[in-house]
Amino acid sequence: MAGDRMAAGGEAVEETRRFAPRFDAAGLITCVTVRAADARVLMVAHMNAEALRLTLESGVVHYWSRSRGTLWRKGDTSGQLQHLVELRVDCDQDVLLARVAVGGDGGACHTGRATCFYRVVGRDGATLTFAED
Amino acid sequence: MAGDRMAAGGEAVEETRRFAPRFDAAGLITCVTVRAADARVLMVAHMNAEALRLTLESGVVHYWSRSRGTLWRKGDTSGQLQHLVELRVDCDQDVLLARVAVGGDGGACHTGRATCFYRVVGRDGATLTFAED
């Protein structure tokens, strides 16, 4: 957060109507992807400028796979295409929020689960339990 | 994602019950914070190991402020303390999801809004509109 930063035209970045995503040093921006129907967080991944452009142009979410070093249209092999309902950006424009409708069986995680966030961290900071939902 | 990575004991990292958060080269892990009541995404910030430990021990969410270079108990000045309802971790243990109940006026964004994600990206990839919710 940097409330004193100005966007083009002298507007504070938090109030501007100009989309100016802030990619990191690797050219990536974090994207939180949620199910539009119930706001459930499905996954967190990254986009580069091309993935972002393709997402907006096609209406299907694209990411940049850091592990594979490739552009990645989520669902191409699994059928779990993420149809973009709405894309948001946060106050300082360094995180995206994609609200999606998921195709195929509705899942998002490569383990086969609906969400990547299926484990709860114990207050001991050492153990995990599997969530029931 | 790296489905072939093994945790201690030979379990796949996705199936282990051992919490082993993967901090990045700067010692940070991304945390998505949502309102427990309705799953709405409030903000995305970062934790270092100490912020994570304090969050679990105290039940109040702590972050590491990258801009200020300090530990940050969210709400200390605003009253918008984030009481931890549940902490989750994703499949490859490099993102946290904090489900919280927010104190004070219930807001999370430094602009005074409930959420940092108050602007919608236009399909033109250039303009933003302010969301009504």
Side-chain angles (χ1 to χ4, degrees):
Chain A
M1 295 183 298
D4 57 352
R5 199 172 48 245
M6 294 292 161
E11 286 178 306
V13 69
E14 295 90 342
E15 304 303 328
T16 185
R17 293 173 186 270
R18 187 174 69 90
F19 182 46
R22 292 171 56 208
F23 297 97
D24 67 14
L28 302 177
I29 189 168
T30 299
C31 179
V32 180
T33 301
V34 308
R35 192 157 58 191
D38 60 3
R40 184 173 195 178
V41 178
L42 299 177
M43 57 183 286
V44 172
H46 297 84
M47 291 184 181
N48 63 1
E50 186 183 6
L52 173 57
R53 179 180 63 77
L54 290 170
T55 296
L56 290 168
E57 285 181 6
S58 70
V60 176
V61 179
H62 292 62
Y63 300 102
W64 177 258
S65 168
R66 295 185 299 176
S67 58
R68 295 191 297 271
T70 59
L71 197 69
W72 168 40
R73 190 173 81 157
K74 171 79 177 166
D76 262 349
T77 53
S78 67
Q80 299 166 344
L81 290 173
Q82 298 180 339
H83 301 278
L84 187 67
V85 173
E86 187 184 71
L87 187 69
R88 294 195 179 197
V89 67
D90 76 342
C91 46
D92 53 0
Q93 300 208 38
D94 65 356
V95 181
L96 299 172
L97 175 68
R99 298 179 53 228
V100 304
V102 183
D105 65 2
C109 184
H110 75 289
T111 65
R113 297 173 175 92
T115 170
C116 294
F117 295 93
Y118 52 84
R119 285 176 296 188
V120 178
V121 180
R123 288 296 173 97
D124 62 0
T127 56
L128 299 174
T129 55
F130 286 74
E132 293 183 7
D133 62 355
Chain B
M1 296 184 298
D4 56 353
R5 201 171 47 246
M6 293 292 162
E11 288 178 306
V13 69
E14 294 91 343
E15 303 304 327
T16 184
R17 293 174 185 268
R18 186 175 70 90
F19 182 45
R22 292 172 54 209
F23 297 96
D24 67 14
L28 301 178
I29 190 167
T30 299
C31 179
V32 180
T33 301
V34 308
R35 192 158 57 192
D38 60 3
R40 184 173 195 182
V41 178
L42 299 176
M43 58 184 284
V44 172
H46 298 82
M47 292 183 182
N48 63 2
E50 186 182 7
L52 173 58
R53 180 181 62 78
L54 289 169
T55 295
L56 290 169
E57 285 182 7
S58 70
V60 176
V61 179
H62 292 63
Y63 301 102
W64 177 259
S65 169
R66 294 185 299 176
S67 57
R68 295 191 298 272
T70 58
L71 197 70
W72 167 39
R73 190 173 81 158
K74 171 80 176 166
D76 262 348
T77 54
S78 66
Q80 297 166 345
L81 291 173
Q82 296 180 339
H83 301 279
L84 187 67
V85 173
E86 187 183 72
L87 187 69
R88 294 195 178 196
V89 67
D90 76 342
C91 47
D92 53 2
Q93 299 208 39
D94 65 355
V95 182
L96 299 171
L97 175 68
R99 297 179 54 227
V100 303
V102 183
D105 66 1
C109 184
H110 75 290
T111 66
R113 297 174 175 91
T115 171
C116 294
F117 294 93
Y118 51 85
R119 284 177 297 187
V120 178
V121 180
R123 288 294 173 98
D124 62 0
T127 56
L128 300 174
T129 55
F130 286 74
E132 293 182 8
D133 62 355

